Amino acid sequence: MNLQEIMEKLKELGTEQTKKTFIRHGAMEPLFGVKVGDLKKLVKHVKKDQELALSLYETGNYDAMYLAGITVNPKLVSKELLQKWVKQAYCYGLAEYSVAGVAAESNYAIDLAREWIESENETIATCGWSTYTNYLSITPDENLDIEEVRQLLNRIKTTIHQEKNRVRYTMNNFVIAVGTFVKVLHKEAYEVGENIGKVQVNIGETACKVPLATEYIKKVEARGKIGSKKKTCIC
């Protein structure tokens, strides 16, 4: 399938109800409102053609941009491309999920996470935290900079409640990720979760909830899954 055919298929799969839901989550026109599950039906048609995946992101259409993120080969993308993508990711659906997932599995995960976390741009900063969070979920503990992760936990402990809205959300997710995926820091992350308590985030007119870090970590611990890694964070 070529770009025009993919765009026509996206239009066919979109619904007004899903479109309204995405808009409440920050998406803007142009978009068709295609559920992620339906987007995945098109992955096999795009995955073999990396240029097509890149072209989808350039359309500026929310659904096409998200599809690009779940089909592009992260090992083939350049650092420059990811820098471009994060600037074009105008809402958290793209920044915290699509771009962050690709960045986390790229060859530049940590470099970009470190850089983006420090950005004054809220969306880029959230992408940075999400990139690092995703990286923790797929990377063996022995390949992590444990001291750096510990320092980030301490930073969150002292600053999270003063941070920008979505940065608070992704910082909270980072604590959860450390507590569930990084076995050696499990207890420290749980203690940070206890310290920060409930994190207040304005989620607008959505049904989303901000998880309590300690409760989430305890549930994973009860399942005996602390330290279990994922094969991929792109979804």
Side-chain angles (χ1 to χ4, degrees):
M1 297 177 76
N2 59 33
L3 179 61
Q4 182 178 347
E5 290 169 331
I6 291 290
M7 295 303 291
E8 289 174 354
K9 189 63 177 177
L10 288 173
K11 184 176 181 179
E12 178 185 322
L13 292 170
T15 68
E16 281 302 313
Q17 183 57 50
T18 303
K19 183 175 179 178
K20 289 177 182 177
T21 299
F22 287 170
I23 289 174
R24 285 198 298 270
H25 283 79
M28 297 185 294
E29 294 281 6
L31 78 161
F32 300 121
V34 184
K35 294 178 181 178
V36 175
D38 288 331
L39 285 179
K40 290 181 177 179
K41 296 175 183 177
L42 298 175
V43 167
K44 63 182 178 180
H45 298 290
V46 181
K47 212 153 194 171
K48 296 178 182 178
D49 188 342
Q50 292 298 292
E51 288 304 315
L52 175 56
L54 301 183
S55 296
L56 284 167
Y57 200 87
E58 290 303 312
T59 65
N61 177 286
Y62 177 85
D63 305 291
M65 293 171 81
Y66 202 102
L67 178 59
I70 61 176
T71 52
V72 73
N73 186 333
K75 297 303 182 186
L76 298 181
V77 299
S78 67
K79 191 174 185 179
E80 290 72 26
L81 177 74
L82 290 167
Q83 295 282 29
K84 182 179 180 182
W85 273 24
V86 78
K87 291 175 182 175
Q88 293 173 291
Y90 63 84
C91 67
Y92 65 82
L94 296 173
E96 296 175 22
Y97 298 94
S98 188
V99 178
V102 177
E105 294 195 21
S106 75
N107 297 319
Y108 318 100
I110 289 301
D111 287 346
L112 290 174
R114 288 169 179 160
E115 176 187 335
W116 293 344
I117 280 171
E118 303 302 332
S119 176
E120 289 298 316
N121 181 297
E122 181 178 356
T123 306
I124 293 177
T126 63
C127 188
W129 285 105
S130 293
T131 296
Y132 213 134
T133 294
N134 282 318
Y135 182 75
L136 296 176
S137 75
I138 60 173
T139 306
D141 285 1
E142 58 267 28
N143 294 337
L144 297 174
D145 185 336
I146 296 299
E147 187 52 39
E148 178 176 72
V149 178
R150 179 178 284 120
Q151 289 172 5
L152 289 171
L153 278 178
N154 289 329
R155 170 176 172 176
I156 291 170
K157 180 180 177 180
T158 58
T159 68
I160 187 169
H161 297 296
Q162 289 77 50
E163 289 286 352
K164 295 172 183 173
N165 191 56
R166 289 302 299 189
V167 175
R168 295 197 297 273
Y169 185 86
T170 49
M171 279 183 160
N172 188 61
N173 284 345
F174 183 88
V175 174
I176 291 171
V178 178
T180 56
F181 293 114
V182 187
K183 200 167 187 178
V184 69
L185 292 176
H186 163 66
K187 290 183 179 179
E188 291 180 49
Y190 186 84
E191 289 171 0
V192 170
E194 283 186 313
N195 187 277
I196 64 177
K198 183 67 176 176
V199 178
Q200 299 298 325
V201 179
N202 181 357
I203 54 173
E205 299 177 6
T206 74
C208 296
K209 295 181 180 180
V210 183
L212 190 63
T214 50
E215 287 185 0
Y216 196 106
I217 293 170
K218 279 195 288 188
K219 287 179 181 178
V220 175
E221 185 175 27
R223 298 200 305 268
K225 293 293 185 179
I226 296 298
S228 297
K229 303 287 183 173
K230 300 193 296 185
K231 290 182 179 180
T232 181
C233 56
I234 293 176
C235 60

